[in-house]
Amino acid sequence: MPFSHLGLDKPLLRAIAEQGYSAPTPIQSQAIPAVLAGRDLLAAAQTGTGKTAAFTLPLLQRLLEFSRTGERTRPGRAPRVLVLVPTRELAAQVNDSVRAYGQFTDLRAAVVFGGVGLQPQIDALRRGIDLLIATPGRLLDLVGQGHARLKEVDVLVLDEADRMLDMGFIRDIKRILPLLPKVRQNLLFSATFSREIRELAAGILRNPLSVEVAPPNTTADRVQQCIYQVAKDCKQPLLAHLIETGGWGQTLVFTRTKHGANKLAQQLERGGFTVGVIHGNKSQSARTRALADFKEYRIQVLVATDIAARGLDIRELPHVVNYELPDVPADYVHRIGRTGRAGAGGEAISLVSGEEATQLRDIERLLKRKLPVRETPAGIQPLPRSAEPAPAHRPPPRRGQPPAGRGGQQRSRRPSQGPRRGAL
Ligand code: AMP
């Protein structure tokens, strides 16, 4: 069914056309009519399925209908739609989507999250908004200080609910719920459905429509998965070798810990790569900058921890590397869900040391298959213990590339592996 048959007004259809979307994704065709009809929704969908538009478009439509009655135009109005998200990055991304889809309307949205100054957020709330996107902690701060009123919320969206629970937001969510009107519409999106999520959903949703869509790009035919069995000390030289000899462009590398992410980033930088890092201890501005640099091809390698990377709009990358396997097998699936360019596939490569046998077994159990092992190239030597990579281990610069150095022009060049459009 085309977008024009889903009951959306012209300003929204125009914005959709401007985004270049030709047809709704499966989650959108199912969710949009249900949300417009006021139904609660339990959606199993992860990033990459078009889930943001699946709730944003019908909610903007409902807000347009409210505003037509005139009651929504007064300044200082309290939000009618509240979208709770686990991370600052996801908050910013949902906000970008709301702005894009609502660009031809006069609806107002605001986004509030921690790690940045309160005052601009207070000012935005004071001006009056229709839709509020928030991380739970900052929302509670703003409510506590009397800056956010939630008594007019008609619709609550919990986006990436599984991650909210993983990140320990359940208490905050339980403190927010009583601040909302009892009668309201509720939409819950989650990539996975653990017992905890089901319990949360049961406590919030009324007679929900359940919608499930397949995760994007995780099927074996689109993403080639393989492992290298390699000693811990040899992982960094192997990674550098693979990036260099494979001529990899944008490469997303996952580590298990923040410390591991920092250390690897430093080692790669010393080896001449342009590198960004995203993890929970990085300031908001540093994370935003790293992500923007990666998306704009100014850096070649982005090193990330699971929590920081979850929900980021980074997809369709040719190469995702698990520098360390995650402890939670489902995180492996989330990580590699970012691989695979449209129609062209991609590679998800895991560097597995002897200490990670248990994690590998659990992942293979979840995938119900063994991951093929690739032979480690000869000559991969561990880094010297002093941590300074010896020049001999540094991969030679490729033809036409400058030698080592931060921000080398050639490295920041658009990688050759795929079309720029849709590459993230
Ligand atoms: P999401 O799953 O919400 O993170 O969105 C995934 C990506 O799909 C975003 O970059 C959207 O811009 C894009 N997208 C959303 N809906 C559509 C659509 N109907 N057709 C093509 N791309 C879409």
Side-chain angles (χ1 to χ4, degrees):
M1 190 190 288
F3 272 114
S4 55
H5 290 195
L6 286 176
L8 301 171
D9 278 5
K10 281 213 177 80
L12 300 178
L13 292 175
R14 196 174 148 205
I16 292 167
E18 194 145 294
Q19 294 297 308
Y21 305 163
S22 47
T25 65
I27 183 101
Q28 291 163 3
S29 338
Q30 294 176 68
I32 292 174
V35 177
L36 285 177
R39 272 198 81 168
D40 279 12
L41 189 72
L42 178 62
Q46 55 175 260
T47 305
T49 53
K51 70 179 168 70
T52 316
F55 66 79
T56 305
L57 287 167
L59 292 180
L60 290 175
Q61 175 67 31
R62 299 202 58 199
L63 287 168
L64 279 176
E65 284 159 17
F66 293 139
S67 72
R68 232 167 264 138
T69 63
E71 88 196 90
R72 299 305 305 154
T73 46
R74 79 190 147 72
R77 59 194 186 265
R80 280 196 114 140
V81 172
L82 173 64
V83 183
L84 287 180
V85 293
T87 63
R88 307 150 179 190
E89 282 84 3
L90 187 60
Q93 279 167 21
V94 172
N95 187 42
D96 288 346
S97 297
V98 168
R99 283 185 196 285
Y101 303 137
Q103 63 180 304
F104 302 114
T105 72
D106 54 7
L107 296 170
R108 287 215 204 132
V111 60
V112 299
F113 47 75
V116 293
L118 269 171
Q119 198 54 46
Q121 299 179 354
I122 294 171
D123 293 343
L125 291 169
R126 198 170 288 150
R127 280 194 293 274
I129 51 166
D130 301 294
L131 186 149
L132 178 61
I133 304 145
T135 52
R138 176 54 64 98
L139 179 64
L140 283 168
D141 288 348
L142 287 161
V143 172
Q145 296 177 24
H147 299 299
R149 282 176 296 131
L150 302 180
K151 274 290 165 228
E152 290 176 41
V153 169
D154 289 318
V155 189
L156 169 69
V157 182
L158 289 176
D159 195 10
E160 308 224 346
D162 47 346
R163 208 53 178 182
M164 294 224 229
L165 298 195
D166 288 354
M167 292 174 73
F169 284 137
I170 187 69
R171 276 222 208 114
D172 286 347
I173 293 170
K174 287 197 168 146
R175 285 174 61 204
I176 292 169
L177 291 174
L179 306 174
L180 307 175
K182 274 207 175 65
V183 179
R184 52 169 204 268
Q185 186 179 7
N186 302 283
L187 318 178
L188 187 149
F189 290 79
S190 184
T192 55
F193 277 90
S194 60
R195 189 174 48 81
E196 287 85 359
I197 288 287
R198 285 179 201 286
E199 280 171 15
L200 178 72
I204 294 180
L205 305 173
R206 287 164 303 121
N207 182 28
L209 175 74
S210 289
V211 174
E212 195 166 340
V213 293
N217 303 341
T218 49
T219 51
D221 52 328
R222 291 211 44 205
V223 180
Q224 270 193 27
Q225 302 170 56
C226 72
I227 62 174
Y228 285 90
Q229 284 171 333
V230 60
K232 214 164 145 192
D233 288 354
C234 291
K235 284 188 176 185
Q236 191 276 333
L238 174 60
L239 175 62
H241 175 87
L242 292 173
I243 296 175
E244 196 62 31
T245 55
W248 294 357
Q250 284 171 310
T251 305
L252 178 62
V253 182
F254 284 98
T255 60
R256 230 162 36 81
T257 64
K258 298 170 209 172
H259 174 69
N262 284 337
K263 193 170 146 200
L264 175 62
Q266 281 166 8
Q267 289 170 336
L268 289 171
E269 271 192 344
R270 286 195 208 116
F273 296 94
T274 47
V275 187
V277 190
I278 292 194
H279 60 59
N281 283 1
K282 289 273 169 191
S283 71
Q284 178 55 29
S285 59
R287 291 200 225 175
T288 310
R289 199 169 50 238
L291 184 62
D293 283 348
F294 189 59
K295 286 186 170 192
E296 295 298 321
Y297 300 84
R298 287 190 292 270
I299 56 175
Q300 183 181 11
V301 184
L302 184 64
V303 182
T305 56
D306 288 291
I307 285 193
R310 178 62 176 259
L312 291 185
D313 190 15
I314 311 175
R315 270 185 301 282
E316 303 193 357
L317 291 168
H319 296 101
V320 169
V321 177
N322 296 305
Y323 190 76
E324 287 148 342
L325 291 179
D327 288 331
V328 179
D331 280 343
Y332 175 87
V333 179
H334 297 310
R335 288 177 178 188
I336 73 163
R338 299 165 187 286
T339 330
R341 291 161 294 152
E347 273 190 317
I349 288 149
S350 301
L351 311 188
V352 185
S353 68
E355 294 89 341
E356 294 170 295
T358 312
Q359 286 98 319
L360 179 62
R361 188 202 57 205
D362 292 347
I363 289 165
E364 291 185 330
R365 218 174 255 168
L366 177 74
L367 299 174
K368 296 196 177 64
R369 70 187 186 95
K370 285 250 174 240
L371 292 173
V373 179
R374 270 198 209 155
E375 203 170 318
T376 303
I380 298 294
Q381 299 287 331
L383 283 182
R385 289 259 170 228
S386 68
E388 266 296 324
H393 301 134
R394 191 181 280 173
R398 271 185 287 146
R399 262 164 66 82
Q401 285 204 328
R406 241 188 115 111
Q409 286 303 306
Q410 296 288 325
R411 286 204 193 276
S412 59
R413 202 181 47 171
R414 189 186 144 197
S416 56
Q417 263 96 352
R420 184 176 179 123
R421 216 185 95 74
L424 284 165

